[in-house]
Amino acid sequence: MACKSGTVDPCSLNDSSSREKLVKDGKCAPYYLESEDILHRCIPTVFGSSIKEIVNDKNEPITNNNKNITKDGLEKGSKVVQALIDLQNVGLKVLEDVGNSWWLILAGFGIALVASFLYIVVMRWIAGLMVWLTTYAVLTLLGYGVYYCYTKYKELDDAGESSDFVFTADLSVYKDSKKTWLAFTIILGVFLLILILLLLALRKRIQIAVALIKEGSRAISSMLFTLLFPIIPWLLQLIVFTWFVAVGVYLVTTGDPEFQLKKNESAVTDTLCKYQDQNETCVFVKFSGEVTIFRLQVYHLFGWFWLLNFVIALGQCVLAGSFASYYWAWDKKTDIPTFPVMASFMRTLR
């Protein structure tokens, strides 16, 4: 049994009536779970045989703090805890994978950046081919995905695999579940149907979009800095958010701290915990604030929204002005400003 240290005679644990009395008196726990250390926390290891009933092995309610606890209820709660542990394990594995392969992720970002830039540049010559080829490639992949997922589902269904779905960190369990493949089949099939209907309904508009893409590629090729300019609004948004958090922390902590003296179940408000004895615990409650401080917090929140949207609109106006200087230029070689983005930025500020 799990009991409070120094309060129980070990010899009394051999008697059933004594154990029940110890549980009712709150000196011993009515049950306990086998646990393991996860991130320096004692987390129950939930298996069917790990539940230890202390008082009895029957499905009779055990009274603890005026609450009835049964073995069935304990097992159901254990399954929820196990699901949370599995979810935590998935998160830990993701973080571990990111830590081990961060350089591959950065390399992938770099390759994607170069590939995207080349894709934009070549679109001025082969926009039509690229658009239709990409469209048909997506449709082909979705079609093959539907076929493959349905084949796997049919294979598992014919083999008589169980249809029970259990949440676990072991991804191989999902791979061997026919419900997983059935869900993938339905989802991919819906996407495929939607794309086909959109393609049939908007085929003429796609041709117009191809012409716009060609012209947009020419504009970007003439003003390459427009590809890097979005970094500037992003940095400005980061600065605004940092300012919001820093000032917000000061506003929230403005005022005198209030504490409570807690002893057993009672609590007495004492601003400075001046009259605390050895049996009482001083607990922080909040910072006392006036109405003016609350108004400042609301004003600060409004200011953050305003500045954030101002930065977003600034970036949009600068890019719009840059591309306008290209589209409205009579001679693309001579009438476009040398620094179109900078010129648009100055016009926007004016």
Side-chain angles (χ1 to χ4, degrees), residues 235-250:
L235 291 176
L236 291 176
Q237 292 179 40
L238 185 62
I239 293 173
V240 171
F241 179 74
T242 304
W243 165 82
F244 167 74
V245 173
V247 177
V249 169
Y250 279 107

Side-chain angles (χ1 to χ4, degrees), residues 49-114:
S49 60
S50 67
I51 301 176
K52 308 297 182 182
E53 288 288 350
I54 303 303
V55 178
N56 54 54
D57 295 329
K58 301 178 181 179
N59 191 28
E60 297 176 356
I62 304 170
T63 302
N64 184 33
N65 293 331
N66 297 325
K67 295 181 180 179
N68 291 333
I69 302 174
T70 63
K71 186 175 181 180
D72 290 342
L74 185 60
E75 290 178 348
K76 292 179 181 178
S78 300
K79 292 180 180 179
V80 176
V81 175
Q82 183 64 51
L84 294 176
I85 295 174
D86 291 338
L87 184 61
Q88 184 185 46
N89 291 337
V90 172
L92 292 176
K93 289 181 179 179
V94 171
L95 292 177
E96 183 180 358
D97 291 341
V98 171
N100 294 332
S101 58
W102 61 269
W103 61 276
L104 288 175
I105 297 175
L106 292 180
F109 282 151
I111 295 173
L113 178 64
V114 174

Side-chain angles (χ1 to χ4, degrees), residues 138-152 181 184-186 188-189 192:
V138 171
L139 293 177
T140 303
L141 289 176
L142 285 176
Y144 177 75
V146 172
Y147 166 76
Y148 180 79
C149 292
Y150 179 77
T151 302
K152 293 292 293 184
W181 296 107
F184 282 151
T185 302
I186 296 174
L188 293 178
L192 179 61

Side-chain angles (χ1 to χ4, degrees), residues 117 120-121 124-125 214-227 322-323 325-327 329 331-341:
F117 175 75
I120 292 174
V121 172
R124 63 188 302 179
W125 296 292
K214 289 181 179 180
E215 195 63 28
S217 178
R218 295 189 184 97
I220 292 176
S221 300
S222 301
M223 301 177 294
L224 293 178
F225 188 71
T226 55
L227 296 175
S322 302
F323 288 110
S325 63
Y326 171 85
Y327 286 117
D331 188 350
K332 305 298 183 185
K333 296 181 179 180
T334 58
D335 294 342
I336 299 177
T338 306
F339 301 102
V341 177

Side-chain angles (χ1 to χ4, degrees), residues 181-235:
W181 296 107
L182 178 61
F184 282 151
T185 302
I186 296 174
I187 294 173
L188 293 178
V190 170
F191 276 118
L192 179 61
L193 179 61
I194 292 175
L195 287 180
I196 291 176
L197 293 177
L198 289 176
L199 183 63
L200 294 176
L202 303 176
R203 60 186 184 278
K204 292 184 178 180
R205 293 181 179 270
I206 293 176
Q207 295 175 353
I208 299 175
V210 169
L212 293 176
I213 291 173
K214 289 181 179 180
E215 195 63 28
S217 178
R218 295 189 184 97
I220 292 176
S221 300
S222 301
M223 301 177 294
L224 293 178
F225 188 71
T226 55
L227 296 175
L228 301 177
F229 176 76
I231 298 177
I232 297 177
W234 179 78
L235 291 176

Side-chain angles (χ1 to χ4, degrees), residues 279-291:
N279 296 324
E280 294 178 331
T281 304
C282 187
V283 180
F284 171 77
V285 179
K286 64 178 180 178
F287 285 98
S288 62
E290 301 177 354
V291 179

